[in-house]
Amino acid sequence: MSFQIILIIHVLLALGLIALVLMQHGKGADAGAAFGAGASGSVFGARGANSFIYKLTASVAVGFFTTSLTLAYLATNETDGDNEPSSIMEQAAPVVPSDVPMLAPAPSDSSDIPNY
């Protein structure tokens, strides 16, 4: 249950991080504002928008990295109690039960092998 909750939070943080990065303007945007291309920082003041959005982006990024590490830890240390294979090799080559009869061993001398 906690895995799904952390995964939902992780996806929401990822979407929020994308939105915050797209809302920020680059270094060249200030030059356009100087020539009347828009009101620079009209909501948060002349400088307030940059520091607020940068701090919010940094905190969302820290949350995203934290949930990433938590999900990785939960995925590697998950034990269900079932007797499921824990690695890809165990899934590819299942263990044969001991009650299955084995095939006859190969002949040890080379007289039974035909010469072509």
Side-chain angles (χ1 to χ4, degrees):
M1 181 68 180
S2 64
F3 187 81
Q4 287 84 11
I5 292 171
I6 295 172
L7 186 61
I8 290 170
I9 293 170
H10 183 70
V11 170
L12 292 176
L13 285 173
L15 293 174
L17 189 61
I18 291 170
L20 284 171
V21 168
L22 290 176
M23 281 179 19
Q24 295 178 15
H25 58 83
K27 292 180 181 179
D30 292 332
F35 295 108
S40 75
S42 61
V43 176
F44 298 103
R47 181 169 159 80
N50 288 343
S51 63
F52 174 74
I53 291 178
Y54 291 154
K55 288 178 183 177
L56 186 62
T57 304
S59 63
V60 171
V62 167
F64 179 77
F65 292 139
T66 303
T67 56
S68 296
L69 293 174
T70 305
L71 287 171
Y73 177 78
L74 290 176
T76 56
N77 294 328
E78 184 176 298
T79 56
D80 294 333
D82 299 337
N83 201 3
E84 294 181 9
S86 61
S87 71
I88 294 175
M89 290 303 294
E90 289 179 8
Q91 291 174 359
V95 177
V96 179
S98 61
D99 60 345
V100 175
M102 298 296 290
L103 297 174
S108 59
D109 58 348
S110 62
S111 61
D112 294 336
I113 299 174
N115 257 342
Y116 293 109

